[in-house]
Amino acid sequence: MGRVVARTDLSARETYRTEVRRCLEALRRMVAEGRFAADELRIGVELELALVDEAMEPAMLNHAVLDRSASDLLTTELGRWNLEINLPPRTLPGTAACRLEEDVVSSIACARRSAAVVGATPVTIGILPTLGAEHLDSDKLTDDPRYDLLNRQMVDTRGEPFRLDIAAPPGGPAERLVLDVDSIAPEAACTSLQLHLQLTPETFPAYWNAAQAIAGVQVALAANSPFLLGHRLWAETRVPLFEQAVDVRPVELRNQGVRPRVWFGDRWASSVTDLFEENVRYFPALLPMVDDEDPLGVLDAGQAPQLHELRLHSGTVWRWNRPVYDVADGVAHLRLENRVLPAGPSAVDAVANALFFYGLVRALVASEHPPWRSMTFDAAHGNFVAGAEHGLDAELFWPGAGTVGVDRLVLDRLLPLAREGLRTWDVEPSVADRYLAVIEARCRTGCTGASWQTQMVAALEKDGCPRPVAMRRMLERYVANMSANLPVHTWPVMEESAGVTALGA
C-alpha cells in the first residue's frame, strides 16, 4: 500500500486477475525451488500513534509534524491524526530487546518534539477515547492519493454507508454504539503495534498456526481500547471496529457467509501458499492495478520477482496474522505480520508484549504437542473474540487445561513457555526476565490499559465529572504515565481528587 497511485492506474479486472494468478504460480515455483532467504531470526516492529492537542482532542496535524521531523522512521497513516513509526529490522539475541525499547522511546520522543512545535502530543493507545463522530468524516483522511483511492474503491464496493454496531458484552454496562459513516475513516481510529517475524516457507505454517492459537491470549493481556465515541464497549474495541470499518460487504453478502476483509481465517495452515491462494480465491480486487513485471520471466532470469499484484492484493486483506512477501537486496523473503496488538500503553509495555509473542510462538512451534493439533480452529477464534470482549476477565480454552481464566493460563503455562522460547532465541536471561515480569505483573494485578482506562473514568465520573470530561482527564494522566515509560500495572487509578468536580463544571 506504499505506492503512490491514481484512479487512472486501475486496470481491467480480468487482466488483473490473470496477473495475480501468474504471481501465485511464481510463488509456488519459488517455494518448490527454495528461492527464499535463509532461516535467520529477524524481527520488525511498527507502532502507530495518535496526535492530540492541548485539550486532548484529536489533532489533524500529521503532515505538519512530519514536516518538522528529521526522522526517516516516521510516516503518515490513514487518519490526519495518525502517525506510524517503522523501526528497522533487527535480531533478538543478547540484549537486543533493550535496544528495541530504547528505539521505541527515542522515536516517540522525536515525534513528541516535532509535534510540540505545532501544539500536539503523540499518544500510543488502541483507540483515542476523545474521538468524536465529527472526526470520522472522509475529509479527516490523510491527504494522500493512495488513501483517497482506497477510500473511494471501498465506498463504491460497499454501495451504502458503513455501519458501526458494537455493544458491550453481557455482564458489564449495557452500552451500545450504532453509527453510519460515509468513509473508511473509522479504520484510522484503530492504532496498533504490528510485529514481524522473518520465516521460510518450511517454517511459516507452524508459526502462523502458533500465532493464531495465542491471538486470544495476546489481545486479552494487551487490551487497551475500551472506549469509542463516548461509549464503554469491549476491552479491545479496536477488534470489532476494524472489522466493521472496512467491511465492504452489503447485508446480502454477509447473510450469504461471504468472508470479511478483516479476517481471522477459518482453518489451520499447512503451507504459506495456502494463505495467499485464499486471499485471491475469496476476495475480489479493491485496487486492480497491473505492473509491467513478468514474474515468471524474472524467475527464469534467476532473480526474485516483486509480485506486485499479489502483494498489493494481499495488502487489502487484513488478516490478524498476515503472510507478507517482500524482496530486500534482491533476495525474496517471507514474514509473519502479527496485527493483534493495540498500541501502548508505554514503550516498556509494548516491548513486553512483543517479547511474550516471540518467545511463546517459538516454544509452541518446538513443542511435542503444539496446540493446533488438539484445538479446533473455531476454538482459537472463540478465544480471540473472548479476549477482545473481556480482556483479563476472559476465560479461554487451552488444550490440557480446558476453559480457564487468562491470568491462570498465562501464569501457570504460557509464561514458562515464553521464557523457554526466548532462551532458545538466545535472549539474555536478565532481559527476558525484565519484560516477562511486566506480563506477570499484569496478570497478578489484573491491570491492563483497558482496565486502567475504565477504572479511571469510572472514578472521575463518581467524583462528579461528566463522561466527556472524565475521558479527557483520564487521557491527560494516561499521556503523563506513557511519557514516563511506566508499565501500566504501576499506574495509579486515581490521584487525590480535590477539585475534580470543578474541572468538570
Side-chain angles (χ1 to χ4, degrees):
M1 289 303 301
R3 294 175 57 190
V4 175
V5 295
R7 202 171 181 84
T8 54
D9 292 329
L10 299 182
S11 306
R13 288 182 180 272
E14 184 177 355
T15 302
Y16 176 81
R17 191 177 294 116
T18 298
E19 293 305 313
V20 169
R21 296 200 175 279
R22 286 175 61 80
C23 288
L24 278 176
E25 183 181 348
L27 180 66
R28 293 188 199 100
R29 270 186 56 185
M30 294 175 74
V31 170
E33 297 170 6
R35 300 273 201 104
F36 286 89
D39 193 359
E40 175 189 8
L41 172 62
R42 289 182 69 79
I43 68 165
V45 172
E46 300 173 70
L47 177 64
E48 295 171 347
L49 308 173
L51 294 170
V52 294
D53 60 21
E54 292 182 355
M56 295 291 112
E57 296 292 318
M60 306 295 164
L61 295 169
N62 60 0
H63 275 302
V65 174
L66 279 180
D67 289 344
R68 290 158 177 81
S69 173
S71 173
D72 59 358
L73 304 180
L74 206 59
T75 186
T76 58
E77 250 296 333
L78 181 63
R80 289 168 55 198
W81 70 93
N82 296 145
L83 289 169
E84 182 176 86
I85 297 169
N86 291 287
L87 296 178
R90 65 194 66 218
T91 60
L92 268 182
T95 60
C98 290
R99 293 192 292 277
L100 173 60
E101 181 185 350
E102 292 167 2
D103 285 352
V104 173
V105 170
S106 63
S107 296
I108 295 172
C110 178
R112 185 181 298 116
R113 289 190 295 271
S114 301
V117 178
V118 293
T121 300
V123 187
T124 55
I125 194 166
I127 294 176
L128 196 60
T130 51
L131 278 169
E134 67 275 16
H135 302 123
L136 303 182
D137 293 333
S138 57
D139 63 353
K140 301 303 189 294
L141 295 173
T142 296
D143 185 13
D144 186 302
R146 57 180 167 150
Y147 299 137
D148 177 66
L149 178 58
L150 182 63
N151 180 61
R152 289 173 182 269
Q153 290 294 103
M154 297 188 80
V155 168
D156 289 350
T157 301
R158 171 83 178 189
E160 59 190 53
F162 291 86
R163 167 63 60 93
L164 305 180
D165 188 350
I166 308 170
E175 299 193 34
R176 182 179 180 184
L177 170 68
V178 180
L179 180 70
D180 287 338
V181 293
D182 65 354
S183 77
I184 61 170
E187 181 194 346
C190 305
T191 41
S192 64
L193 172 70
Q194 295 158 28
L195 306 177
H196 293 253
L197 178 60
Q198 183 174 315
L199 299 165
T200 66
E202 294 75 25
T203 58
F204 194 99
Y207 276 94
W208 188 84
N209 289 341
Q212 293 286 96
I214 68 168
V217 177
Q218 276 187 283
V219 74
L221 279 171
N224 197 26
S225 312
F227 293 106
L228 176 60
L229 304 186
H231 296 76
R232 177 183 170 183
L233 301 168
W234 292 21
E236 189 51 31
T237 306
R238 185 180 59 93
V239 168
L241 175 59
F242 190 22
E243 291 175 347
Q244 295 178 19
V246 294
D247 190 353
V248 296
R249 304 168 301 167
V251 173
E252 295 80 6
L253 292 184
R254 292 199 300 274
N255 291 340
Q256 292 172 35
V258 172
R259 293 160 178 82
R261 296 193 86 98
V262 177
W263 193 37
F264 189 81
D266 56 18
R267 69 195 70 191
W268 301 115
S270 58
S271 76
V272 66
T273 54
D274 287 348
L275 302 176
F276 284 105
E277 287 170 356
E278 285 178 348
N279 289 351
V280 174
R281 183 184 312 122
Y282 296 141
F283 301 100
L286 281 178
L287 301 172
M289 294 178 292
V290 174
D291 191 84
D292 292 335
E293 180 189 71
D294 174 8
L296 297 173
V298 172
L299 264 185
D300 290 339
Q303 299 174 345
Q306 295 293 327
L307 305 186
H308 293 283
E309 293 85 1
L310 183 61
R311 290 165 65 191
L312 182 59
H313 182 69
S314 293
T316 62
V317 179
W318 291 276
R319 292 178 181 266
W320 292 104
N321 284 294
R322 183 156 69 178
V324 177
Y325 172 91
D326 209 347
V327 179
D329 299 323
V331 180
H333 65 265
L334 292 168
R335 299 196 309 272
L336 169 65
E337 182 186 23
N338 178 256
R339 305 170 55 83
V340 168
L341 296 168
S346 63
V348 66
D349 283 311
V351 177
N353 291 338
L355 269 286
F356 179 75
F357 170 77
Y358 289 126
L360 186 52
V361 293
R362 179 67 180 86
L364 292 178
V365 167
S367 65
E368 186 177 354
H369 302 290
W372 56 93
R373 292 185 182 168
S374 52
M375 178 183 189
T376 67
F377 197 86
D378 284 346
H381 182 244
N383 284 350
F384 181 61
V385 173
E389 285 185 329
H390 302 287
L392 276 179
D393 292 330
E395 293 198 344
L396 310 181
F397 172 80
W398 193 258
T403 300
V404 61
V406 176
D407 55 348
R408 296 282 18 123
L409 175 60
V410 172
L411 292 172
D412 296 345
R413 290 174 177 259
L414 302 187
L415 264 179
L417 285 173
R419 182 170 279 104
E420 175 61 21
L422 293 178
R423 186 196 66 77
T424 306
W425 287 132
D426 293 324
V427 174
E428 178 69 33
S430 62
V431 174
D433 289 344
R434 166 176 168 75
Y435 295 108
L436 295 185
V438 173
I439 302 297
E440 179 179 359
R442 267 191 232 152
C443 290
R444 296 198 184 281
T445 62
C447 184
T448 63
S451 64
W452 183 87
Q453 288 186 56
T454 55
Q455 291 173 31
M456 192 75 217
V457 167
L460 288 163
E461 287 181 316
K462 185 177 179 181
D463 210 53
C465 283
R467 179 166 287 183
V469 176
M471 289 197 297
R472 187 168 71 246
R473 298 307 182 197
M474 176 273 288
L475 190 55
E476 290 173 345
R477 291 165 168 84
Y478 183 107
V479 171
N481 289 319
M482 179 207 92
S483 300
N485 194 26
L486 300 172
V488 72
H489 69 268
T490 68
W491 296 7
V493 168
M494 185 80 175
E495 300 164 2
E496 290 300 322
S497 58
V500 169
T501 303
L503 288 172

